[in-house]
Amino acid sequence: AQTVTQSQPEMSVQEAETVTLSCTYDTSESDYYLFWYKQPPSRQMILVIRQEAYKQQNATENRFSVNFQKAAKSFSLKISDSQLGDAAMYFCAYRRGNTGGFKTIFGAGTRLFVKA
Amino acid sequence: EAGVAQSPRYKIIEKRQSVAFWCNPISGHATLYWYQQILGQGPKLLIQFQNNGVVDDSQLPKDRFSAERLKGVDSTLKIQPAKLEDSAVYLCASSLAGDRGVSEAFFGQGTRLTVV
């Protein structure tokens, strides 16, 4: 069974600084997708960035980028130039790539605090 | 494009009572998910529908939880009778079906259930 592990329950970063959130996963599949979701106090999960496992290039979305290490099964999120609005829970998620279901499995989350 | 709609936002019930949650997915999204998110944890999939058929309900406590998706659009999740440990946020999400790579899940704002 696939699992997703986020080993940092909480992280803190100074405004305008860079922070990296860690995620590891376990799977025997070769075709899958990885996601980082942000969950602010409003509770709505918002997709931050996604990575297809077959792509070697790390995904980037503005201030957000990932370091995808497929062999190590590691998928970390880097937030550059942190802003107060980045404060939220961040969830790493895994989804199989084949048909028959697109169940997304989530890690336990990392709460990010941004200090002014 | 309208997002995933859920109601109610909050619900407080006594144990052994019944409760129902409603979800309206994004138009055209064939896949619908119900997740349970206990405080401090990541979302856990309860049930996944593809149109009006169940794809995965392996983690649904079927002795008390039920869900349906009539006509492959709206969905309701019911708990009867509720237990204290059912206190959680219930998230509904939807995604396109058959799209291997791009189809991430879009989430509603969830229903916070408190069982007293």
Side-chain angles (χ1 to χ4, degrees):
Chain A
Q2 295 85 14
T3 59
V4 178
T5 302
Q6 293 179 250
S7 59
Q8 305 155 317
E10 294 183 353
M11 289 286 285
S12 182
V13 63
Q14 199 72 31
E15 194 176 9
E17 298 290 307
T18 296
V19 64
T20 298
L21 309 184
S22 301
C23 173
T24 59
Y25 59 95
D26 186 26
T27 183
S28 58
E29 304 283 337
S30 59
D31 183 19
Y32 53 88
Y33 304 88
L34 297 165
F35 307 89
W36 277 98
Y37 279 89
K38 171 184 177 181
Q39 187 178 42
S42 68
R43 303 198 303 261
Q44 187 157 17
M45 300 279 276
I46 302 164
L47 180 69
V48 174
I49 197 165
R50 60 172 170 255
Q51 174 80 43
E52 292 87 342
Y54 63 85
K55 289 186 177 180
Q56 291 186 330
Q57 187 173 7
N58 289 325
T60 299
E61 287 287 342
N62 300 315
R63 298 183 295 109
F64 299 88
S65 62
V66 299
N67 183 4
F68 174 46
Q69 302 290 325
K70 191 171 183 178
K73 295 179 182 176
S74 171
F75 183 61
S76 60
L77 174 70
K78 186 172 81 171
I79 306 174
S80 303
D81 186 24
S82 297
Q83 301 175 359
L84 295 177
D86 294 334
M89 284 290 291
Y90 285 83
F91 292 95
C92 178
Y94 165 98
R95 201 196 78 192
R96 290 172 63 185
N98 57 341
T99 56
F102 296 93
K103 180 170 71 176
T104 303
I105 299 169
F106 290 83
T110 296
R111 182 172 298 281
L112 178 66
F113 296 95
V114 181
K115 300 176 183 176
Chain B
E1 153 181 279
V4 177
Q6 287 189 250
S7 67
R9 288 290 312 273
Y10 303 89
K11 190 73 177 179
I12 301 174
I13 61 172
E14 295 182 350
K15 58 183 178 182
R16 291 187 289 276
Q17 285 188 323
S18 62
V19 64
F21 312 127
W22 173 82
C23 173
N24 181 239
I26 292 173
S27 178
H29 281 194
T31 307
L32 186 147
Y33 315 79
W34 282 103
Y35 284 87
Q36 180 192 57
Q37 186 177 19
I38 294 173
L39 185 65
Q41 299 181 18
K44 181 185 81 172
L45 181 70
L46 292 176
I47 190 167
Q48 177 185 342
F49 291 94
Q50 186 83 356
N51 296 306
N52 59 350
V54 175
V55 174
D56 186 338
D57 63 356
S58 57
Q59 297 193 89
L60 186 74
K62 298 180 185 64
D63 58 335
R64 298 183 301 104
F65 286 65
S66 65
E68 61 181 9
R69 190 183 185 195
L70 300 176
K71 301 180 182 178
V73 182
D74 292 7
S75 177
T76 54
L77 176 69
K78 297 179 182 178
I79 308 174
Q80 182 180 12
K83 293 184 175 181
L84 296 177
E85 58 261 36
D86 298 332
S87 294
V89 174
Y90 291 84
L91 295 166
C92 180
S94 69
S95 67
L96 291 167
D99 186 339
R100 294 188 65 231
V102 185
S103 182
E104 75 269 17
F106 292 83
F107 286 80
Q109 290 189 290
T111 296
R112 180 180 297 280
L113 173 67
T114 303
V115 183
V116 299

